[in-house]
Amino acid sequence: MLLAVALGFAACNDDTEPVLSQTTGGSTEGTVPTTMVLDENNPSEVMFTLSWTAPEFNLAVVKNYRIEVSNSEDFATRASVAVTANTTYGVTASELNEAVLEFMPSVEDVYAIDMFMRVRCELNDDDNLVIPVGETYQFNVTPYPGEYPRLYVVGSMQGWNISASNYFLRCTTGDNVYTGELGVPEGGQFRFYSQLGNWDTGTYGSQVDDAGVNISLAEGTYEGTLYEGKGSWIFDREGTYNCTVDLTNMTVKFEYAGEYRDTAEEGGEVETPSAEGCFVVGNINNWSVEASATQGQLTETTEGSNVWTGTLALPDSGDGSGNSFFRFYTTLNGDWNSNCYGSSAVNEDGSAGNETLTLVDGYAEAEIVKDSQGNFVVPTGTYTISVDLTNNLMIIEAAQ
């Protein structure tokens, strides 16, 4: 399709300034298959290549070219496939798929659809100054299913595993609002992550600080502010809830929908990397329980002895006390609540407490308790640590 267009700019101060006008038309070369089935296993496959001759103008202008598709020949509704400054372009399966999905009622339930394609010349980065270049192509295409953007739920229902992806909300409307059902067990608590694998990246919660906030759902509904932080919501009512998270206006809404049921997506949990052995977790590895955080790894004295030892530099906690804090894990897999061994100290409220070790001539012994998240506290320094996981004993000695 050739379109001769005269485009004018209003003169700023001088009515004699030249008026932009098109002097030659453009044309497109290349063949678009009449039928295409896009393969999600080969997203980088080039489905076709188009070349075009640019329209010319009487004035120097910046030209960009947009390849776009529509489900109607008049392009009343259109989606962009690619933008380039070149006059030739190979369209890949993933580029075409992403554009076609915009015409599907659901990106997860797709079907074959008749589409139209054209190239537009855009002038001076102004979307209003556009000229179709050459012909319009018609074809039938079967896209592959896509995924709606996800906001992951990390909390007690999935073992506080920063790598588990089987609880999430979806953004199905493209407005940065995520919705979905979430089963919350008794005393359940959680926060949201835009990506998995890192406790400190893309986290949204009830407050900035890393601490839980109790909320009341006695009337069945809670509405509140969302923060870029690590505070969790602690529910006072077990059940299944309709959740709405607005990342633009930073709000949350939880609505009671019925009795508790597990809303984990089948097959949604990714394989979680893990490291096995005995590890010191604390200031030494920035309090990470990920498989890669092995700075505090101990070595088994003899195979099968279940006695582990190592000499480690325990760094300062940064709280001004001059101390270092730690406990032990036999598996690093992102889960804070399993395979841990901590102090025997107990706080007044019954929770695990910190135990400050008194070193006599640089030596101390302490009981370790399985499933305790109580920390041991020692002055910053280099120590030889021995852990007997069979007899629940730890020995720590200042290194000479």
Side-chain angles (χ1 to χ4, degrees):
M1 180 185 297
L2 294 175
L3 180 63
V5 177
L7 299 171
F9 291 114
C12 296
N13 296 309
D14 188 352
D15 291 337
T16 64
E17 288 184 5
V19 176
L20 178 69
S21 62
Q22 183 179 345
T23 58
T24 65
S27 61
T28 308
E29 297 178 358
T31 301
V32 175
T34 56
T35 302
M36 288 178 280
V37 177
L38 306 181
D39 183 3
E40 63 183 319
N41 297 314
N42 194 8
S44 60
E45 178 186 4
V46 175
M47 304 305 298
F48 55 86
T49 299
L50 295 178
S51 299
W52 51 89
T53 301
E56 298 296 332
F57 301 87
N58 65 322
L59 300 176
V61 291
V62 176
K63 303 173 188 175
N64 283 305
Y65 307 96
R66 184 182 303 273
I67 301 172
E68 60 185 9
V69 293
S70 177
N71 60 351
S72 61
E73 195 168 6
D74 62 1
F75 285 81
T77 302
R78 56 185 183 264
S80 178
V81 177
V83 178
T84 179
N86 300 321
T87 55
T88 185
Y89 195 87
V91 174
T92 66
S94 61
E95 291 173 324
L96 184 57
N97 197 79
E98 185 175 348
V100 173
L101 287 180
E102 295 193 28
F103 298 90
M104 295 283 130
S106 167
V107 301
E108 297 175 342
D109 184 17
V110 299
Y111 49 82
I113 185 174
D114 290 326
M115 299 293 293
F116 298 87
M117 177 178 292
R118 70 182 182 186
V119 178
R120 292 198 314 172
C121 176
E122 301 181 348
L123 306 183
N124 297 331
D125 298 321
D126 186 342
D127 190 57
N128 294 313
L129 301 177
V130 297
I131 299 171
V133 177
E135 65 179 297
T136 298
Y137 299 89
Q138 183 175 3
F139 57 95
N140 182 274
V141 59
T142 303
Y144 52 82
E147 286 188 350
Y148 290 114
R150 295 182 178 187
L151 189 64
Y152 296 98
V153 179
V154 175
S156 57
M157 65 280 297
Q158 46 85 272
W160 287 103
N161 187 340
I162 192 58
S163 298
S165 63
N166 53 343
Y167 291 85
F168 53 85
L169 310 181
R170 292 183 175 92
C171 178
T172 61
T173 54
D175 57 359
N176 220 19
V177 175
Y178 292 76
T179 59
E181 282 192 330
L182 179 64
V184 182
E186 183 177 1
Q189 58 178 302
F190 60 89
R191 56 182 179 259
F192 298 108
Y193 280 83
S194 59
Q195 64 186 66
L196 296 174
N198 189 317
W199 286 105
D200 300 316
T201 302
T203 175
Y204 297 90
S206 59
Q207 62 179 1
V208 174
D209 295 336
D210 187 0
V213 173
N214 292 284
I215 61 174
S216 174
L217 292 142
E219 302 299 322
T221 301
Y222 170 84
E223 295 185 65
T225 301
L226 180 72
Y227 296 89
E228 291 188 33
K230 297 171 71 174
S232 59
W233 290 274
I234 304 175
F235 278 45
D236 67 350
R237 182 180 182 183
E238 177 182 281
T240 300
Y241 292 85
N242 291 320
C243 302
T244 302
V245 179
D246 187 336
L247 292 185
T248 299
N249 296 307
M250 298 298 285
T251 59
V252 295
K253 185 176 183 180
F254 306 125
E255 299 176 279
Y256 183 78
E259 294 183 358
Y260 169 78
R261 62 181 179 83
D262 190 353
T263 54
E265 291 279 340
E266 292 186 7
E269 186 170 0
V270 297
E271 182 179 351
T272 303
S274 64
E276 308 293 332
C278 185
F279 306 90
V280 175
V281 172
N283 301 127
I284 191 172
N285 69 346
N286 199 29
W287 292 102
S288 174
V289 290
E290 299 307 306
S292 60
T294 58
Q295 295 92 327
Q297 186 168 12
L298 303 178
T299 302
E300 194 171 20
T301 55
T302 57
E303 186 176 356
S305 67
N306 216 17
V307 176
W308 304 78
T309 188
T311 299
L312 303 171
L314 302 182
D316 190 90
S317 63
D319 65 356
S321 67
N323 292 324
S324 191
F325 295 72
F326 64 93
R327 56 180 178 263
F328 303 98
Y329 281 79
T330 55
T331 301
L332 297 181
N333 63 357
D335 186 353
W336 281 104
N337 298 314
S338 63
N339 304 305
C340 64
Y341 292 79
S343 76
S344 60
V346 179
N347 295 320
E348 291 184 1
D349 62 2
S351 61
N354 294 337
E355 180 178 351
T356 301
L357 300 179
T358 301
L359 281 77
V360 178
D361 295 328
Y363 178 94
E365 295 183 3
E367 178 188 4
I368 57 174
V369 178
K370 190 176 188 308
D371 297 327
S372 167
Q373 293 192 20
N375 301 311
F376 297 102
V377 186
V378 295
T380 301
T382 299
Y383 295 91
T384 298
I385 299 175
S386 297
V387 181
D388 184 340
L389 295 180
T390 301
N391 296 304
N392 298 318
L393 177 67
M394 177 193 69
I395 296 173
I396 183 167
E397 297 178 87
Q400 299 300 318

